Amino acid sequence: MTVNQLPTDQSAGTPEAPALTGERADLLEVLTKHRNFLRFTTRDLTDEQAGLRTTKSELCLGGLIKHVTAAERGWVDFILEGPSTMPDFTAMTEEDFARREAQFKMLPGETLAGVLEAYEEVARRTDEVVRTLPDLNASWPLPKAPWFQGETEWSARRVLLHIIAETSQHAGHADIIRESLDGAKTMG
């Protein structure tokens, strides 16, 4: 299956959808590329290695993928349902921050395979939304957050660009963490 096509539903015998072109194809191509860079950093690792901190940062590879998964899921919910799906970041409690911090760690009982599977599920959903959303210009007011000062709303397009940027940024973090772990690199 290519990024530009929906899978065939073998049970219903429906044909594949026509190839996606233009802006939506470009968005999916770039997002897929950066998701692959992020996932590739975990190749051949154990669950324990995926949870190791290898730099001064609190970040680990499994935790980065968990965070990107949660962020992508949250932003796609925002595209579909608006700001009610997001917290008021200006009113977060210590407990809220602790839950958010747990996104960046491999917790007891979590596996790399499970983290990657959850990421793949979110990716499939996002890709379907990109393919089928009636209007990429559809906008919602942003949730309350100190980092959104001056900005009032984002279109679905802007949210998708943010998801791409977030994925790309964390793929770079993951590359550094992996190189610090065992010298393996994603690129170069």
Side-chain angles (χ1 to χ4, degrees):
M1 178 178 78
T2 68
V3 170
N4 299 332
Q5 296 178 326
L6 295 171
T8 300
D9 181 354
Q10 300 296 332
S11 63
T14 57
E16 290 190 19
L20 196 61
T21 60
E23 177 182 25
R24 291 171 193 254
D26 291 345
L27 289 167
L28 287 178
E29 181 181 335
V30 173
L31 182 55
T32 298
K33 175 183 174 181
H34 290 283
R35 284 180 186 143
N36 288 338
F37 284 144
L38 178 59
R39 282 191 291 257
F40 190 66
T41 63
T42 66
R43 69 196 178 282
D44 303 323
L45 293 182
T46 65
D47 295 337
E48 181 183 2
Q49 289 172 314
L52 290 176
R53 291 177 41 219
T54 63
T55 66
K56 285 189 162 262
S57 162
E58 291 290 324
L59 301 175
C60 68
L61 293 171
L64 277 173
I65 292 172
K66 282 177 54 181
H67 169 68
V68 171
T69 300
E72 185 170 322
R73 180 186 304 114
W75 280 112
V76 171
D77 288 347
F78 175 85
I79 288 172
L80 297 173
E81 301 173 40
S84 65
T85 64
M86 303 284 247
D88 176 348
F89 292 99
T90 63
M92 288 181 66
T93 65
E94 286 186 37
E95 185 178 298
D96 294 329
F97 282 110
R99 268 195 304 276
R100 186 170 167 83
E101 189 176 302
Q103 285 180 355
F104 291 93
K105 298 176 183 176
M106 291 283 289
L107 301 176
E110 291 181 329
T111 65
L112 179 57
V115 167
L116 289 169
E117 183 179 321
Y119 188 38
E120 187 60 35
E121 288 174 25
V122 166
R124 278 193 295 273
R125 177 179 177 237
T126 301
D127 292 355
E128 183 64 19
V129 167
V130 172
R131 287 183 189 97
T132 62
L133 192 69
D135 184 5
L136 293 178
N137 291 316
S139 296
W140 292 102
L142 288 168
K144 290 183 181 179
W147 49 86
F148 290 137
Q149 295 175 0
E151 298 184 69
T152 57
E153 63 181 42
W154 278 4
S155 68
R157 176 182 297 100
R158 174 72 188 269
V159 171
L160 292 167
L161 292 171
H162 178 72
I163 291 170
I164 291 168
E166 179 100 356
T167 304
S168 177
Q169 178 182 18
H170 288 310
H173 292 145
D175 197 33
I176 292 166
I177 292 168
R178 179 61 192 258
E179 188 174 358
S180 297
L181 177 67
D182 63 4
K185 298 178 186 177
T186 303
M187 297 178 284

